[in-house]
Amino acid sequence: MNVTRYVPLVVKQVCRHRVRTGLTVSGIAIAMFLFTTIQAMQRGVREATMETAADTTLVVYRKDRFCPLTSRLPRDYASRIGRIEGVVSVMPVKVVLSNCRTSLDVVIFRGVPKDDFLRDRHGAIEIVAGSLDDWRRRSDAALIGETLAKRRGLRPGMMFDAAGITTYVAGILRSDNPQDQNVAYAELEFVQLAARSGLGVVTQFNLRVADPSFLEPVAEQIDDMFRTAQEPTATFTEKAFVGRLAGDALELVSFARWLGLGCLVAMMALIANAIVLSVQGRIAEHAVLQTVGYTSRLIAALITAEAMLMALVGGGLGATAAVVVARVGSFALSVEGQSIPITAGVETLAGGMLMCAVLGVAAGLVPAVQASRRPIAECFRAV
Amino acid sequence: MNLIECRNLTREYHKADTVIRPLDGVDLDVERGEFLALMGPSGSGKTTLLNLIAGIDAPTAGTIVVDGVDITRLSRNRLAAWRSVHVGYVFQLYNLIPVLTAFENVELPLLLQKLSRRERRARTGNALEAVGIADRADHFPRQLSGGQEQRVAIARAIVTDPTIIVADEPTGDLDRPAADDIMNLLTRLNEESHRTILLVTHDPQTAGHADRVIRLDKGRFVSDRRPESVAEAPA
């Protein structure tokens, strides 16, 4: 059977029942907007916290501290850490935040030794605007993560003032690492001075090990080394570190999963309601179709296709709006100096559309089958 | 040769403990090209008989053979396929699909057949032409008068060139001039195209267009006459 000849019939039924379709599609779009936004948050969490086999980065933090304002470690720990077997590089980092709370617009400054930073990130970052030479030359220069730059409208050559630090925007950087996308990198000493925290004090050390198998033994050795020091350390893999600091935010995002499921249930109920009402109002119409020779299966397929089309149109609108908002807004959920970007792309959109198609079919199937199995003569008697 | 042969046709409905029998063991033969009218009071079983012959209802007992096929033995899906080829149904209340234009309504039965889009459009145009409504092809049912809607419904019934056309009180919702127009159209289809037509009506004047009129009462035939005498008899 060539089903394509029935497609115009389904499209006409959806397009020409304007009020029903308009209301249903609007409701689906709103539900899908929420669902896709939650998906984008969850995707950001996954990207920020899920470890992969290739991860080789450790973060050394002050033990029992969570906020960068209270994690204070002597910079000279770096030389002792660097001597441990398996450690490839150690980079002291001074973190300064515009605020420590959970927020969608936190500015994070990271003070780093410029040469160490460029060596560490070689090949992992791309300067999409501005000049790396400018950043090297000027002591007050900052490389701004692409997400932060978009959100704050920053361009190379501008002065940027946040968290009590005024910097010159030397370049915009792009990176696959979520923690690079929402920060401003500046010279370590410049940030230390601007933050009035003392030149010898840093917030953390980021270090690379030669191989993922070194992660655990190196972390243990570092924490053992400073166990009795005045400033003991706690060492984590980078993503575990993000997960630890962003625990509260992660709980919220996990809870949001239920909201997402609620959106899907609401969407399904909305489609089912529209189809049930439509089927009840079109008893004679379906009886006529049966009379002229349409089989029960074909009528059920037509009704289900209507449900799926409405779901796809509404879902497509809602999901596209969510992706556009996430991209244009460049939001990142920041907590304790760690960024969880809200990332939505083609995969999020495609996943949302697939979900819409499945829900449309699921919501339309039962009323469609019921409508198609009703005896014709009974239908005509009922109207 | 008979096109339709019904034997011992019975239809029962069960309502609570009551058995309702709108059709009670009737026999009927209809010749090919015949124009037959079924008359009788409400509840006499005429629409039930029409629906059984059209294959949209199933008898409790008895057989219906149309063009050599016992349709009571067909499965639900095969019966649907049979209807799409052999039956054109005209309803009292037209039953056009409101969101489709006249053209699209008439085209509906053709979607089931293996025809190209061009063939479908040609046949739909011819059917609309045949009922004199081609100039309203792009109109939606709400933009048509009752008589025009019924013409579209007749076009939908004849577009597949069915073996039989069944019409259940096709003029019941129309004023006299519109009703006469519709009956003249059906008569022309019967005379010029030799289509077999089965018509249910309360109206003796409408029945006067038929070759043969059968009166029913309480599920049984009470007369089987020529129309001249029907027009004089009380309804």
Side-chain angles (χ1 to χ4, degrees), chain A residues 221-289:
Chain A
Q221 280 189 61
I222 293 170
D223 294 343
D224 281 347
M225 187 183 289
F226 302 110
R227 190 175 304 280
T228 56
Q230 197 169 355
E231 289 91 9
T233 60
T235 306
F236 309 88
T237 59
E238 187 182 33
K239 289 181 177 176
F241 174 71
V242 175
R244 167 182 170 260
L245 290 189
D248 292 343
L250 295 184
E251 265 183 40
L252 285 175
V253 173
S254 297
F255 174 72
R257 186 177 298 138
W258 294 105
L259 296 179
L261 284 174
C263 289
L264 294 183
V265 172
M267 194 171 125
M268 192 161 155
L270 192 65
I271 303 168
N273 181 55
I275 292 297
V276 166
L277 290 178
S278 161
V279 160
Q280 284 174 352
R282 287 156 61 191
I283 291 175
E285 198 173 300
H286 294 136
V288 168
L289 288 178

Side-chain angles (χ1 to χ4, degrees), chain B residues 175-191:
Chain B
D175 57 21
R176 177 48 59 193
D180 287 343
D181 272 356
I182 293 299
M183 285 317 299
N184 289 336
L185 174 62
L186 288 174
T187 305
R188 186 163 55 82
L189 289 170
N190 172 247
E191 289 173 354

Side-chain angles (χ1 to χ4, degrees), chain B residues 60-131:
Chain B
T60 311
T63 59
I64 306 164
V65 176
V66 181
D67 210 9
V69 177
D70 184 353
I71 64 169
T72 58
R73 292 177 178 275
L74 297 178
S75 67
R76 196 181 165 100
N77 281 346
R78 294 192 122 197
L79 193 57
W82 177 84
R83 280 196 304 269
S84 73
V85 175
H86 293 281
V87 179
Y89 204 118
V90 181
F91 302 92
Q92 179 183 354
L93 296 175
Y94 333 126
N95 282 330
L96 299 179
I97 294 179
V99 295
L100 300 182
T101 62
F103 189 94
E104 290 160 351
N105 267 288
V106 175
E107 193 186 22
L108 268 180
L110 294 180
L111 293 176
L112 297 166
Q113 302 193 359
K114 287 179 182 169
L115 298 172
S116 68
R117 189 162 178 266
R118 180 179 290 186
E119 284 173 307
R120 279 205 312 270
R121 296 188 72 83
R123 287 179 66 167
T124 305
N126 290 341
L128 287 166
E129 200 75 54
V131 299

Side-chain angles (χ1 to χ4, degrees), chain B residues 2-232:
Chain B
N2 292 326
L3 176 68
I4 303 167
E5 291 176 356
C6 303
R7 294 289 174 267
N8 192 29
L9 211 49
T10 301
R11 181 69 170 103
E12 289 178 354
Y13 299 105
H14 296 264
K15 249 185 188 173
D17 294 336
T18 315
V19 176
I20 301 163
R21 190 173 293 155
L23 208 60
D24 190 6
V26 301
D27 295 329
L28 172 68
D29 292 328
V30 181
E31 290 178 14
R32 192 180 295 274
E34 197 171 335
F35 190 161
L36 170 69
L38 298 169
M39 294 187 73
S42 295
S44 60
K46 52 193 188 301
T47 296
T48 304
L49 176 58
L50 199 73
N51 288 345
L52 291 174
I53 293 171
I56 66 173
D57 197 3
T60 311
T63 59
I64 306 164
V65 176
V66 181
D67 210 9
V69 177
D70 184 353
I71 64 169
T72 58
R73 292 177 178 275
L74 297 178
S75 67
R76 196 181 165 100
N77 281 346
R78 294 192 122 197
L79 193 57
W82 177 84
R83 280 196 304 269
S84 73
V85 175
H86 293 281
V87 179
Y89 204 118
V90 181
F91 302 92
Q92 179 183 354
L93 296 175
Y94 333 126
N95 282 330
L96 299 179
I97 294 179
V99 295
L100 300 182
T101 62
F103 189 94
E104 290 160 351
N105 267 288
V106 175
E107 193 186 22
L108 268 180
L110 294 180
L111 293 176
L112 297 166
Q113 302 193 359
K114 287 179 182 169
L115 298 172
S116 68
R117 189 162 178 266
R118 180 179 290 186
E119 284 173 307
R120 279 205 312 270
R121 296 188 72 83
R123 287 179 66 167
T124 305
N126 290 341
L128 287 166
E129 200 75 54
V131 299
I133 197 92
D135 58 332
R136 300 298 180 103
D138 294 332
H139 286 58
F140 288 93
R142 64 177 179 277
Q143 298 167 317
L144 301 172
S145 68
Q148 288 169 332
E149 280 196 75
Q150 195 59 295
R151 281 172 181 271
V152 175
I154 292 170
R156 182 178 63 191
I158 63 171
V159 73
T160 56
D161 195 16
T163 312
I164 52 174
I165 295 172
V166 293
D168 187 4
E169 303 203 39
T171 59
D173 206 43
L174 301 175
D175 57 21
R176 177 48 59 193
D180 287 343
D181 272 356
I182 293 299
M183 285 317 299
N184 289 336
L185 174 62
L186 288 174
T187 305
R188 186 163 55 82
L189 289 170
N190 172 247
E191 289 173 354
E192 292 177 5
S193 311
H194 306 291
R195 293 175 195 273
T196 308
I197 299 178
L198 274 67
L199 170 87
V200 162
T201 183
H202 280 105
D203 178 20
Q205 198 173 329
T206 300
H209 289 263
D211 303 330
R212 179 183 166 197
V213 178
I214 293 176
R215 283 183 172 277
L216 289 96
D217 193 22
K218 294 177 183 167
R220 290 175 181 273
F221 291 171
V222 292
S223 70
D224 189 345
R225 304 182 198 175
R226 306 301 300 172
E228 290 79 12
S229 53
V230 175
E232 294 155 11

